Amino acid sequence: MQFLQDAPQFLFFTGKGGVGKTSVACATAVTLAGQGKRVLLVSTDPASNVGQVFDVVIGNTITAIEGVPGLSALEIDPEQAAEAYRERIVGPVRGLLPDKELASITEQLSGSCTTEVASFNEFTAFLADPAVYGGYDHVLFDTAPTGHTVRLLQLPGSWTDFLQSGKGDASCLGPLAGLDKQRSTYAAAVEALKDPTRTRLVLVARAQTSSLKEIERTNDELGEIGIHATHVVINGVLPPEAGDEALAAAVRARETAALTAMPAGVATLTRDVIGLRPTNMVGLPALRSLLSNDTVDASEDAGAAALEVTLPGPLAALVDEIEKGEHGLVLCMGKGGVGKTTIAAAIAVELAHRGHPVHLTTTDPAAHLEETLHGSVTGLRVSRIDPLEATREYRDRVLATKGKNLDEAGRRNLAEDLLSPCTEEVAVFQQFSKAVHESRREFVVIDTAPTGHTLLLLDAAGSYHRDVARQMGDAMAYTTPLMRLQDPTQTKVLLITLAEPTPVTEAEVLQQDLERAGIHPWAWVINNSLLAARPESPFLQVRAQNEVDQVARVESLSDRVAVVPLLSDEPVGVERLGSIVTGQVVPV
C-alpha cells in the first residue's frame, strides 16, 4: 500500500461513516507494529468499534493490544468528551442563572461542533506535547477534525466577550467560550496537522459517487486552511471472487463508473484500492489480510443460512399507513450516502400513483430526480431547495444586520460562526417551512430536514415558533412549523440507514437528537440490503450474513421497519423507484 510508504509520525484517516476508516486504521496499525514500530491508535469515531475489532476492552485508557507487540490503542468517546466539556462550562454558573437560561446554554453546547471541539481537545496532546507523542514512532487517528473545527480554533480575539456581547447567534461559537487558556496548545496541534513531514492525511472512500464527493468536500475544506491530503484509499471494491451473477456484475459496473468519474480534486492523489472481504474485519488474521492482495475464499455454505432469516416487510407497508392520512408531511432523514433522496422519491411516486397530489422537495444538489420525474407522473410536483443559495442569502442578511456595526475582528468571528453546519440547516429550514404548511392539504415528502439540535437552537434563540407564541398569547389558536413537526398525526419522520454498524449508530444518535426536540421518528428504512436481495454466490451470501445483527438492532430501536433490497441497477426512473416500494428486484 502506497499510503504506508515512508509514513510520517502522524497518520489521519478520514471519510464519511461506513466506508471502513476504522478497519483501514486498525490494519495499518497492525502492519506498522509488525515492522517493529511503536504504534498508538487513537479513535474519535462516534461509532468506534476498535475494541471489538481487537476483541479487547479499550475505552479512554491507553491499552496494549495482546498479540501485537508494540501496538496500543485508545478510544475517545466523543459524547462523553462533549458531556464533560459542557459541564466544565455550565457547572460554574449552575445555581447562579435561571433554569431557562441554563437550558439555552446547554442546548447551544449540544451540537456537532461541540462534539468535534471536545474530541479535538482530548487528542491535542498527542499532536502538541512531545512528552506524550515522543514515545511512539507512529500515532494513528481514526477520524480527523473538519476544516471548520480547525478554523474555529484559529479564530482571533476573545470568543467569550464576543458571545456575551450578543454579536453572534446561538450556533457554533458557543463551544469555544472556555478555550482561551489553551490557545498555545491548539496552535501547536494545528501546526503539526499542516506539516506534511509530520502528518499524512489519508482520505478513505468507497467506490460510490456520494462517498467520493464527500471526500472531495473534506479535501477542499481542509485545503483552505493549509492541511492537504496526499493519499486516497478506495475501500471495499467488489473482487472477482464475488462471482458473475447479475447483482455482482451490476455492482461492478456502478463502481467502475464512479471511479471513472472521480472528482478532479481527489483523482490526482496517490491511490490505493482495497478489495471487499466476505467477512467483517474482526480479529488479527482478518486485519493482517486487509492490506494484502491475497485472494479470499468464501465457503460454499457459510452464508447460506443468512438467506433463511425473516426480514421486515417492504416499503409498501409504510406507504399504506402513510396513505391513510390522505395528506401530511413525510420527512426522510439520515446521514449522507444512505439513499434518503431515492427513498423520498419512491414514496412520492407511489403516493402519486395511488391518486394523491404530492409535492416532493429535496436538497439534493444533483437534480436528476427533477429531470427523471418532471411531467412523467400525474399528480406529482417536484421542487429543489438549493442549500448553498439559501445559506448565502442567510449569511449576507445576518452580516448586513448583526455585523453592520462590528469591528474587523468581530465581523471575522461572525463570518466564521455563519459557516457552521447549523447555519445551513437554519437557512434551509426557512424554505422548508413553506412546504410544511402545504402538508395541510396534500402529501409533502421532504428529503433531508433539520436536526433536533437545530430546531432547539431556533427555539432557544427566539425562533419563529417562539415569536408566534409570544405574539398570539392565549387569544388565538396557532400552529407553527415546529408544532407541526412534533405532531405524529401530521408528520411522519423516516430514518434511512444501511445494515452496517456505523450508519445504524449514526441514525440512532439522530433519533435521540430529534427526541430532545419532541419529535419521535415514526419508522426506520434499511436501504440497499444485500440480505434482502438474496444473492447466489457464496461470497455475497457471507456478506449478507453480516447484516443479520444490524437488522435485529434496528428492529430493537423502532416498532416500524421496512427493508429495501440492493437493486441490480441504479434506482432512477419511475419503474425502478416502484421496485423500491414493493421490494421486488427488477432484472437488469
Side-chain angles (χ1 to χ4, degrees):
M1 291 290 161
Q2 298 177 82
F3 75 88
L4 279 171
Q5 296 176 10
D6 300 318
Q9 186 170 24
F10 304 120
L11 286 93
F12 277 86
F13 297 89
T14 187
K16 66 187 299 181
V19 298
K21 293 189 303 293
T22 298
S23 297
V24 174
C26 289
T28 301
V30 169
T31 300
L32 291 172
Q35 297 172 359
K37 305 293 182 63
R38 295 163 299 167
V39 181
L40 176 65
L41 174 61
V42 182
S43 176
T44 59
D45 190 327
S48 176
N49 61 343
V50 170
Q52 180 183 356
V53 169
F54 287 114
D55 193 26
V56 62
V57 177
I58 297 176
N60 197 21
T61 303
I62 295 178
T63 303
I65 303 301
E66 186 177 349
V68 190
L71 175 59
S72 298
L74 168 71
E75 286 182 315
I76 297 172
D77 185 326
E79 292 305 320
Q80 288 183 6
E83 179 59 36
Y85 189 82
R86 278 191 292 272
E87 183 59 28
R88 285 200 298 272
I89 296 175
V90 176
V93 296
R94 187 176 286 112
L96 302 177
L97 296 176
D99 290 344
K100 188 175 181 180
E101 193 166 340
L102 280 175
S104 176
I105 294 172
T106 301
E107 187 54 46
Q108 290 179 45
L109 296 169
S110 296
S112 59
C113 294
T114 300
T115 303
E116 281 203 6
V117 168
S119 296
F120 191 61
N121 182 58
E122 290 285 323
F123 67 61
T124 46
F126 295 108
L127 290 165
D129 188 350
V132 177
Y133 68 71
Y136 301 96
D137 297 305
H138 299 287
V139 182
L140 280 56
F141 296 91
D142 172 18
T143 299
T146 66
H148 174 61
T149 299
V150 176
R151 285 198 308 272
L152 283 172
L153 297 172
Q154 292 177 301
L155 280 176
S158 170
W159 298 306
T160 304
D161 291 344
F162 181 75
L163 291 166
Q164 289 178 344
S165 62
K167 296 171 184 175
D169 287 330
S171 61
C172 249
L173 288 179
L176 305 177
L179 295 181
D180 285 322
K181 295 180 180 179
Q182 296 174 261
R183 286 184 183 277
S184 60
T185 302
Y186 284 125
V190 171
E191 285 307 307
L193 283 170
K194 291 181 177 181
D195 185 351
T197 67
R198 300 179 63 197
T199 299
R200 176 169 295 170
L201 180 67
V202 181
L203 304 174
V204 184
R206 300 294 290 266
Q208 299 166 350
T209 301
S210 61
S211 179
L212 293 169
K213 285 183 177 178
E214 179 70 20
I215 61 169
E216 181 188 38
R217 283 192 293 270
T218 299
N219 192 38
D220 291 344
E221 186 183 50
L222 290 169
E224 291 175 358
I225 52 176
I227 302 173
H228 299 285
T230 53
H231 294 71
V232 58
V233 172
I234 309 299
N235 187 36
V237 175
L238 197 67
E241 303 92 281
D244 296 320
E245 65 176 279
L247 184 62
V251 171
R252 284 198 194 93
R254 287 205 292 269
E255 290 181 341
T256 299
L259 292 176
T260 301
M262 182 181 293
V266 295
T268 58
L269 301 179
T270 301
R271 187 188 313 175
D272 289 301
V273 176
I274 298 176
L276 184 69
R277 298 302 194 260
T279 58
N280 286 330
M281 284 294 106
V282 177
L284 293 177
L287 291 173
R288 289 187 173 115
S289 73
L290 183 63
L291 303 185
S292 72
N293 293 319
D294 297 339
T295 299
V296 180
D297 293 325
S299 169
E300 288 291 334
D301 58 357
L307 304 184
E308 304 302 320
V309 173
T310 300
L311 292 173
L315 191 57
L318 299 186
V319 177
D320 290 342
E321 286 195 68
I322 292 170
E323 185 186 17
K324 292 177 183 178
E326 298 184 353
H327 63 84
L329 183 66
V330 180
L331 298 181
C332 294
M333 303 183 68
K335 295 295 184 178
V338 297
K340 297 185 301 294
T341 301
T342 302
I343 298 298
I347 292 172
V349 167
E350 181 65 19
L351 288 170
H353 277 158
R354 297 184 184 190
H356 301 283
V358 183
H359 178 195
L360 168 64
T361 184
T362 177
T363 57
D364 182 12
H368 65 270
L369 285 179
E370 214 166 347
E371 297 167 3
T372 302
L373 299 175
H374 182 65
S376 62
V377 180
T378 302
L380 176 61
R381 177 165 54 93
V382 180
S383 66
R384 186 169 69 91
I385 296 172
D386 186 338
L388 295 178
E389 182 62 23
T391 305
R392 185 190 62 76
E393 292 176 359
Y394 180 81
R395 286 174 183 151
D396 289 348
R397 185 165 61 253
V398 173
L399 285 170
T401 53
K402 278 185 172 288
K404 183 178 180 180
N405 298 317
L406 296 181
D407 57 21
E408 182 180 351
R411 283 183 64 85
R412 190 159 50 241
N413 283 338
L414 180 58
E416 180 62 42
D417 194 18
L418 291 169
L419 290 175
S420 79
C422 299
T423 298
E424 180 176 306
E425 287 195 349
V426 169
V428 170
F429 182 69
Q430 294 182 349
Q431 298 196 28
F432 274 148
S433 296
K434 301 174 185 177
V436 169
H437 283 294
E438 292 178 8
S439 65
R440 294 173 297 173
R441 302 179 300 275
E442 63 182 1
F443 284 110
V444 176
V445 183
I446 299 180
D447 160 34
T448 303
T451 65
H453 172 63
T454 297
L455 292 169
L456 288 170
L457 275 183
L458 284 165
D459 199 42
S463 67
Y464 176 77
H465 171 79
R466 290 186 51 161
D467 286 342
V468 170
R470 183 171 54 253
Q471 292 170 16
M472 301 293 286
D474 297 325
M476 298 178 62
Y478 59 88
T479 303
T480 67
L482 178 58
M483 293 167 64
R484 197 174 297 280
L485 293 176
Q486 292 171 329
D487 186 347
T489 65
Q490 300 184 61
T491 298
K492 291 179 171 54
V493 175
L494 276 61
L495 295 186
I496 319 301
T497 188
L498 304 175
E500 299 173 7
T502 299
V504 172
T505 297
E506 291 177 337
E508 183 178 8
V509 171
L510 177 57
Q511 176 164 279
Q512 295 167 355
D513 183 32
L514 289 167
E515 288 178 337
R516 285 208 327 274
I519 301 170
H520 182 69
W522 180 72
W524 283 52
V525 177
I526 300 172
N527 193 27
N528 287 337
S529 170
L530 183 58
L531 183 59
R534 308 299 184 187
E536 299 172 1
S537 76
F539 182 98
L540 293 180
Q541 287 179 353
V542 173
R543 288 294 306 174
Q545 189 176 38
N546 295 336
E547 296 184 359
V548 173
D549 289 344
Q550 297 308 313
V551 172
R553 182 180 170 194
V554 170
E555 289 184 297
S556 73
L557 294 168
S558 176
D559 54 6
R560 285 188 187 86
V561 180
V563 175
V564 175
L566 176 66
L567 301 180
S568 298
D569 206 358
E570 289 286 359
V572 175
V574 174
E575 182 183 9
R576 299 289 177 190
L577 291 172
S579 69
I580 287 177
V581 175
T582 62
Q584 299 298 314
V585 178
V586 179
V588 177

